[in-house]
């Protein structure tokens, strides 16, 4: 009876999924926290420049764009590097476990939808970065006014 073996594999697969989801959520939260601190530090460092920009008529949207553009570019680059590492890891995992789990329901073969989700991570990260940085800049500028 392979019921016990299959139950153990099913439990392992569920545990891996839960841990993966928890990891993704924690990385997202840490990214937002880091962006918050970095953006506030940048505003604090460049406070005099912000005052001059306000005096010459720059609005908050212009200043927010100037602060967020480099951060979003770095997030997109980091997301692409991380995505490449994830793809390499997943391909290695598929290759290493192909013989062990072939013919079972648990063979780690990703469907095209899964690969699309993995490849969308850099874009989601860039969007999260953009939103977090923009909100932080607008709130910080409003607090300075």
């Amino acid at each position: 009876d392979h019921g016990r073996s299959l139950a153990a594999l099913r439990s392992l697969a569920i545990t891996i999924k839960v841990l993966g989801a928890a990891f993704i959520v924690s990385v997202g939260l840490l990214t937002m926290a880091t962006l918050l601190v970095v953006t506030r530090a940048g505003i604090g460092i460049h406070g005099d420049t912000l005052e001059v920009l306000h005096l010459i008529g720059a609005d908050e949207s212009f200043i927010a764009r100037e602060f967020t553009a480099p951060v979003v570019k770095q997030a997109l680059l980091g997301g692409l590097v991380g995505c490449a590492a994830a793809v390499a890891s997943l391909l290695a995992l598929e290759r290493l476990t192909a013989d062990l789990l072939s013919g079972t329901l648990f063979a780690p073969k990703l469907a095209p939808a899964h690969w699309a989700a993995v490849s969308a991570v850099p874009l989601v990260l860039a969007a999260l970065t953009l939103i977090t940085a923009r909100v932080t800049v607008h709130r910080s500028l409003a607090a300075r006014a």
Side-chain angles (χ1 to χ4, degrees), residues 3-40:
R4 284 189 201 195
S5 297
L6 290 177
L9 285 174
R10 183 176 291 117
S11 175
L12 176 65
I14 291 170
T15 301
I16 290 172
K17 285 181 183 180
V18 169
L19 287 174
F23 179 74
I24 290 172
V25 168
S26 66
V27 167
L29 291 174
L30 287 171
T31 300
M32 289 173 49
T34 302
L35 284 169
L36 184 74
V37 170
V38 168
T39 305
R40 285 186 179 171

Side-chain angles (χ1 to χ4, degrees), residues 49-59 62:
T49 305
L50 294 177
E51 293 298 325
V52 171
L53 286 172
H54 272 294
L55 289 174
I56 62 173
D59 61 349
F62 172 79

Side-chain angles (χ1 to χ4, degrees), residues 4-145:
R4 284 189 201 195
S5 297
L6 290 177
L9 285 174
R10 183 176 291 117
S11 175
L12 176 65
I14 291 170
T15 301
I16 290 172
K17 285 181 183 180
V18 169
L19 287 174
F23 179 74
I24 290 172
V25 168
S26 66
V27 167
L29 291 174
L30 287 171
T31 300
M32 289 173 49
T34 302
L35 284 169
L36 184 74
V37 170
V38 168
T39 305
R40 285 186 179 171
I43 289 172
I45 290 170
H46 301 293
D48 294 337
T49 305
L50 294 177
E51 293 298 325
V52 171
L53 286 172
H54 272 294
L55 289 174
I56 62 173
D59 61 349
E60 287 184 9
S61 294
F62 172 79
I63 295 170
R65 277 193 306 274
E66 293 301 312
F67 267 87
T68 58
V71 175
V72 170
K73 287 178 188 175
Q74 288 178 346
L76 191 55
L77 178 62
L80 290 171
V81 169
C83 184
V87 167
S89 297
L90 289 170
L91 289 173
L93 180 66
E94 276 187 7
R95 184 161 295 191
L96 290 171
T97 60
D99 292 336
L100 176 66
L101 298 174
S102 65
T104 69
L105 298 174
F106 305 105
K109 208 67 162 146
L110 293 182
H114 296 127
W115 288 111
V118 168
S119 62
V121 169
L123 298 175
V124 171
L125 178 64
L128 179 65
T129 301
L130 177 66
I131 292 167
T132 303
R134 285 267 171 116
V135 168
T136 304
V137 169
H138 283 292
R139 286 186 179 168
S140 296
L141 290 176
R144 291 178 68 90

